[in-house]
């Protein structure tokens, strides 16, 4: 099709021909013929440009190809994009992910591997679990085009509306150039990294160099082992070339990072506008009772205190504090909707306190006030002196304790608003790790499905699980090793950077009998991976009358946090005592089980805001002291 400049030229020629002689008209018409020939050639090129994701069919437009995929292959691109809220880069990854799976005759949705492409075509089905798909295609390796010159990657977002300004202004040619280079930059190549650092510097308005770094380090996608091009991360945000007032200008990497964080924060706080999430948390009896007892049954801590609740949600912890006799409760909530809800609930329960500048005739008989902002911005919305809060309370914990990274906000509030020696509830957090057996996987389910053996599915699911952390419940009888303390945080004194840590642990087989749902042979049990959980403590330091422990252990009633599961690439055989091992076999096999497993676990804040990266190094140690190490596994929880 003719582009805009061509169309303008044609319209100009039409105006000119009205005033010119017939001979000139004929010449112009001939010229138009040339234009039409060019158009025809472009149309012919476009007809062969869009290759189906699943078969050899070619179509002339994105709409046609996606409609074909929807009707013929049960792949509804637009529905998936909407359901998962995919931005440009995430959609880019999805297309490359699907192409890579089809090349391996694997179902992009359920990950079942077929014998041939024909079998795959017959197998393709409607999507069951969108969340699983997001996990599968989220790897940054899918930023690399699977097919070179894949025109679908240039054009799939042409008709999108409502994107952020800095996304819609992306120069796609520049983006594609950066993405093609994605696989060429490796963190193992020091020279490449240095070159990358220098090339990703851009001048800001003051002429100063701004480097694509975070906390002084080059942005690295830990889950893929490759450097991020121009600060691009898994949230799909990266710099590009903008055009403003007709002049080319580079987006400041610092400004772009700020937009990235703002976008993630808006999504994060927006997700807490759902009442279903708050019902789940409030219905978690272990969680809510722990906070209720710690607040209501420790009068020496709360009576007459000024309390700040960081991330109040519905305001339930603030309401407990008001009931406990606090003189003032400042409930901080970033979600506009939930701040309004918390205010109304405080009013409905006679606990709301109006601010001095409030207008109207509403009666103020309570002590609770709601501030709608992030805790880092409280000073802009409320007249409050630094270090004037007696008690800081927050339910900040996420999956694997540190996911969502809300702890940094709590520590900010501590350093900014809490009095010296003031109380923080909870004041400790502890992470534990243990090994789990076969029953902690999906294998037992697939062994017998209505009397049929479907174990091949279970095996493939276990292999896939080795790439992603899984949040789920592990039964206590599926834990096959001792539980080991991995890391402890003292919230009263810790520094924000201590959120990132590396710790070691040694796991030994459980004593006193092996679990019935674990594979056993000659007193051998199999460890399929490790499970992490946490406890938070309301210790006697501040809760003198009644210390409380909130635990998410497999050995207590389940909580909404469940546990976080990390599956090994292959199970490790373990045996206790002096096991007679075959010294010619590798450690961790059935004939030469490990006496213990040494773990080295690192958890750090990820490049993507509010996400964490976890690396797992595993070494099996035999009864004779021999060792066997497995490749490091890197997980991203986002």
């Amino acid at each position: 099709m003719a582009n805009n400049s061509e169309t303008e030229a044609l319209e100009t020629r039409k105006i000119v021909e009205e005033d010119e002689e017939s001979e000139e008209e004929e010449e112009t018409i001939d010229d138009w013929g040339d234009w039409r020939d060019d158009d025809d050639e472009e149309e012919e090129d476009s007809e062969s440009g869009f290759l189906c994701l699943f078969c050899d069919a070619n179509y002339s437009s994105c709409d046609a190809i996606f409609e074909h995929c929807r009707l013929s292959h049960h792949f509804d691109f637009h529905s998936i994009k909407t359901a998962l809220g995919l931005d440009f880069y995430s959609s880019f990854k999805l297309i490359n992910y699907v192409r890579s799976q089809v090349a391996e005759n694997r179902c992009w949705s359920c990950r079942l591997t077929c014998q041939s492409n024909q079998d795959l075509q017959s197998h393709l089905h409607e999507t069951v679990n969108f969340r699983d798909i997001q996990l599968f295609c989220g790897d940054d390796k899918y930023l690399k085009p699977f097919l070179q010159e894949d025109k679908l990657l240039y054009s799939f977002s042409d008709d999108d509306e409502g994107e952020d300004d800095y996304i819609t202004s992306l120069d796609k040619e520049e983006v594609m150039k950066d993405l093609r280079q994605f696989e060429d930059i490796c963190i193992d190549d020091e020279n490449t990294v240095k070159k990358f650092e220098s090339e990703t510097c851009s001048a800001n308005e003051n002429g100063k160099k701004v480097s694509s770094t975070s906390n002084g380090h080059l942005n690295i996608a830990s889950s893929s082992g490759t450097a991020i091009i121009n600060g691009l991360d898994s949230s799909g945000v990266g710099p590009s070339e903008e055009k403003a007032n007709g002049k080319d200008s580079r987006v400041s990497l610092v400004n772009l990072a700020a937009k990235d964080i703002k976008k993630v924060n808006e999504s994060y706080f927006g997700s807490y506008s759902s009442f279903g999430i708050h019902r789940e948390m409030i219905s978690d009896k272990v969680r809510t009772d722990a906070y209720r007892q710690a607040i209501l049954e420790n009068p020496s801590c709360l009576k007459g205190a000024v309390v700040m609740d960081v991330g109040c949600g519905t305001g339930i912890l603030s309401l407990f504090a008001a009931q406990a006799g606090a003189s003032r409760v400042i409930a901080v909530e970033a979600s506009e909707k939930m701040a309004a809800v918390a205010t109304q609930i405080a009013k409905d329960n006679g606990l709301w306190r109006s601010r001095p500048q409030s207008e109207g005739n509403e009666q103020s008989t309570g002590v609770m006030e709601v501030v709608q902002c992030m805790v880092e911005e409280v000073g802009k919305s409320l007249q409050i002196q630094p270090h004037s809060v007696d008690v800081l309370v927050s339910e900040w914990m996420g999956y694997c304790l540190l996911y969502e990274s809300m702890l940094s906000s709590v520590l900010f509030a501590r350093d900014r608003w809490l009095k010296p020696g003031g109380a923080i509830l909870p004041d400790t957090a502890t992470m534990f790790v243990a090994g789990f057996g076969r029953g902690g996987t999906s294998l037992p389910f697939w062994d017998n499905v209505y009397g049929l053996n479907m174990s091949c599915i279970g095996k493939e699911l276990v292999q896939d699980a080795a790439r992603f952390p899984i949040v789920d419940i592990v039964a206590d009888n599926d834990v096959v090793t001792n539980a080991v303390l991995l890391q402890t945080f003292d919230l009263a004194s810790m520094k924000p950077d201590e959120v990132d840590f590396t710790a070691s642990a040694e796991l030994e087989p459980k004593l006193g009998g092996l679990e019935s749902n674990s594979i056993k042979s000659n007193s051998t049990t199999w460890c399929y991976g490790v499970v992490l959980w946490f406890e938070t403590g309301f210790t006697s330091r501040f809760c003198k009358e009644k210390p409380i422990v909130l635990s998410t252990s497999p050995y207590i009633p389940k909580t909404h946090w469940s546990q976080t599961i990390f599956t090994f690439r292959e199970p490790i055989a373990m045996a206790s005592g002096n096991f007679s091992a075959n010294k010619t076999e590798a450690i961790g096999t059935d004939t030469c089980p490990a006496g213990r497993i040494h773990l080295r676990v690192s958890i750090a804040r990820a490049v993507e805001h509010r996400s964490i990266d976890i690396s797992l190094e595993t070494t099996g140690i035999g009864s004779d002291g021999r060792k066997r190490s497995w490749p490091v596994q890197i997980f991203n929880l986002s």
Side-chain angles (χ1 to χ4, degrees):
M1 298 296 293
N3 58 31
N4 290 337
S5 61
E6 293 172 344
T7 303
E8 292 173 1
L10 290 175
E11 291 175 352
T12 301
R13 290 172 182 244
K14 289 180 181 179
I15 295 172
V16 172
E17 73 173 3
E18 292 176 357
D19 298 327
E20 293 182 342
E21 306 250 339
S22 59
E23 293 180 0
E24 293 176 343
E25 289 178 4
E26 292 178 2
E27 292 178 1
T28 305
I29 292 172
D30 291 339
D31 289 341
W32 290 355
D34 294 338
W35 282 86
R36 293 191 187 99
D37 290 342
D38 292 340
D39 290 345
D40 292 341
E41 290 178 3
E42 289 183 10
E43 289 178 359
E44 289 175 3
D45 290 341
S46 65
E47 287 177 1
S48 60
F50 297 100
L51 177 66
C52 175
L53 295 168
F54 301 92
C55 64
D56 295 330
N58 279 276
Y59 286 84
S60 60
S61 70
C62 284
D63 287 341
I65 200 74
F66 286 138
E67 183 66 8
H68 162 74
C69 289
R70 184 182 70 84
L71 295 175
S72 302
H73 306 299
H74 304 287
F75 178 78
D76 191 338
F77 174 79
H78 296 297
S79 294
I80 295 170
K81 183 179 177 182
T82 300
L84 295 178
L86 301 183
D87 57 20
F88 173 82
Y89 291 95
S90 298
S91 302
F92 189 99
K93 290 181 187 179
L94 175 62
I95 291 172
N96 285 316
Y97 164 75
V98 173
R99 289 208 188 277
S100 69
Q101 299 306 295
V102 171
E104 297 178 6
N105 296 323
R106 179 180 293 159
C107 176
W108 66 276
S109 178
C110 71
R111 307 272 290 176
L112 179 68
T113 301
C114 300
Q115 295 297 318
S116 65
N117 183 264
Q118 184 177 358
D119 291 342
L120 175 63
Q121 299 298 329
S122 301
H123 165 80
L124 291 173
H125 54 80
E126 298 291 342
T127 309
V128 177
N129 192 330
F130 284 116
R131 180 176 175 81
D132 287 344
I133 296 166
Q134 193 167 26
L135 288 174
F136 293 146
C137 68
D139 197 315
D140 284 338
K141 70 181 181 181
Y142 296 118
L143 286 171
K144 174 185 175 182
F146 184 79
L147 294 181
Q148 295 302 318
E149 305 303 326
D150 187 353
K151 297 182 71 172
L152 187 60
L153 296 175
Y154 289 85
S155 310
F156 68 84
S157 64
D158 280 347
D159 298 327
D160 285 354
E161 296 179 358
E163 296 285 346
D164 291 343
D165 291 342
Y166 71 99
I167 291 295
T168 56
S169 65
L170 288 176
D171 183 298
K172 291 180 184 176
E173 291 294 336
E174 185 71 17
V175 172
M176 293 302 297
K177 178 181 177 181
D178 284 346
L179 293 175
R180 288 194 191 100
Q181 295 172 352
F182 186 83
E183 70 274 22
D184 296 332
I185 298 180
C186 176
I187 62 175
D188 293 330
D189 186 340
E190 184 177 354
N191 293 328
T192 302
V193 171
K194 290 180 179 178
K195 180 172 183 282
F196 172 72
E197 286 182 305
S198 65
E199 291 179 348
T200 54
C201 289
S202 60
N204 63 13
E205 293 178 359
N206 298 321
K208 296 180 180 180
K209 292 294 183 179
V210 181
S211 179
S212 175
T213 60
S214 175
N215 297 326
H217 300 288
L218 179 66
N219 283 347
I220 301 296
S222 301
S223 58
S224 63
T226 52
I228 296 177
I229 298 297
N230 292 339
L232 178 66
D233 66 15
S234 57
S235 64
V237 179
S240 67
E241 193 170 348
E242 276 191 331
K243 293 185 178 180
N245 300 323
K247 296 181 180 180
D248 294 343
S249 61
R250 279 284 174 183
V251 179
S252 165
L253 297 176
V254 169
N255 291 339
L256 192 54
K259 289 180 180 179
D260 180 15
I261 293 173
K262 180 180 179 181
K263 184 177 181 181
V264 173
N265 283 339
E266 288 175 351
S267 176
Y268 170 70
F269 293 120
S271 69
Y272 279 88
S273 297
S274 167
F275 292 129
I277 292 176
H278 293 281
R279 175 173 179 173
E280 180 184 22
M281 293 188 292
I282 293 173
S283 299
D284 184 341
K285 188 173 177 59
V286 174
R287 164 199 180 267
T288 308
D289 275 353
Y291 275 91
R292 184 173 183 273
Q293 291 178 57
I295 294 171
L296 292 179
E297 299 185 30
N298 287 285
S300 65
C301 181
L302 275 297
K303 190 71 173 178
V306 175
V307 178
M308 179 178 285
D309 179 3
V310 180
C312 73
T314 60
I316 189 168
L317 304 187
S318 296
L319 298 170
F320 289 160
Q323 290 178 335
S327 62
R328 183 185 183 187
V329 180
I330 304 165
V332 183
E333 174 55 48
S335 167
E336 183 177 359
K337 178 178 179 179
M338 291 313 301
V341 169
T343 298
Q344 187 60 51
I345 291 174
K347 291 178 179 179
D348 292 345
N349 287 274
L351 297 172
W352 180 70
R353 166 187 174 174
S354 63
R355 300 184 198 173
Q357 66 270 29
S358 296
E359 298 179 357
N361 299 319
E362 292 186 86
Q363 296 297 315
S364 174
T365 59
V367 298
M368 178 177 164
E369 55 192 301
V370 180
V371 185
Q372 194 269 302
C373 67
M374 294 178 63
V375 73
E376 291 83 355
E377 301 173 350
V378 166
K380 300 178 182 178
S381 305
L382 182 71
Q383 291 184 352
I384 178 175
Q385 292 298 317
H387 310 298
S388 60
V389 170
D390 299 299
V391 179
L392 189 65
V393 63
S394 179
E395 196 274 78
W396 54 268
M397 300 83 74
Y399 299 125
C400 199
L401 182 64
L402 298 175
Y403 171 61
E404 295 180 337
S405 299
M406 189 176 164
L407 178 55
S408 61
S409 296
V410 175
L411 298 181
F412 176 92
R414 179 201 67 186
D415 295 339
R416 178 66 174 167
W417 309 116
L418 191 63
K419 289 180 178 179
I424 182 167
L425 305 178
D427 60 310
T428 65
T430 309
M431 298 181 72
F432 296 88
V433 63
F436 66 86
R438 192 170 189 269
T441 71
S442 62
L443 288 170
F445 173 85
W446 296 104
D447 283 348
N448 187 336
V449 181
Y450 294 97
L452 300 172
N453 180 2
M454 296 188 178
S455 58
C456 63
I457 296 178
K459 292 177 182 177
E460 184 161 339
L461 290 175
V462 169
Q463 292 174 357
D464 289 336
R467 299 172 54 209
F468 305 103
I470 299 172
V471 176
D472 204 352
I473 298 293
V474 174
D476 58 352
N477 62 340
D478 289 326
V479 177
V480 297
T481 74
N482 59 323
V484 178
L485 186 151
L486 189 65
Q487 183 76 351
T488 296
F489 301 102
D490 184 344
L491 274 69
S493 61
M494 70 177 290
K495 298 177 181 179
D497 287 345
E498 293 176 19
V499 171
D500 302 337
F501 71 91
T502 298
S504 297
E506 286 209 350
L507 306 180
E508 298 180 353
K510 269 187 177 180
L511 299 176
L514 299 172
E515 287 64 35
S516 59
N517 58 357
S518 298
I519 297 178
K520 295 182 292 184
S521 175
N522 298 324
S523 301
T524 299
T525 188
W526 290 85
C527 182
Y528 276 77
V530 295
V531 53
L532 267 64
W533 68 88
F534 65 86
E535 292 180 352
T536 53
F538 303 80
T539 73
S540 59
R541 172 169 45 182
F542 303 123
C543 296
K544 294 179 171 57
E545 290 86 357
K546 188 170 184 178
I548 298 291
V549 174
L550 167 56
S551 176
T552 63
S553 165
Y555 296 99
I556 68 162
K558 67 179 182 180
T559 69
H560 78 280
W561 287 286
S562 303
Q563 291 90 38
T564 308
I565 299 168
F566 302 92
T567 306
F568 294 152
R569 289 192 179 93
E570 61 179 77
I572 301 174
M574 300 185 72
S576 57
N578 294 321
F579 190 87
S580 179
N582 184 342
K583 296 185 178 182
T584 63
E585 296 293 331
I587 300 294
T589 57
D590 189 37
T591 56
C592 189
R596 62 188 189 277
I597 295 175
H598 179 83
L599 298 176
R600 190 169 184 266
V601 181
S602 296
I603 298 181
R605 289 159 293 182
V607 171
E608 183 178 356
H609 189 48
R610 297 194 179 277
S611 300
I612 57 175
D613 286 330
I614 304 102
S615 68
L616 182 64
E617 300 175 49
T618 309
T619 302
I621 304 174
S623 58
D624 57 358
R626 288 191 300 131
K627 298 179 180 180
R628 176 190 176 192
S629 296
W630 283 264
V632 177
Q633 293 178 259
I634 299 178
F635 303 87
N636 175 260
L637 188 56
S638 61

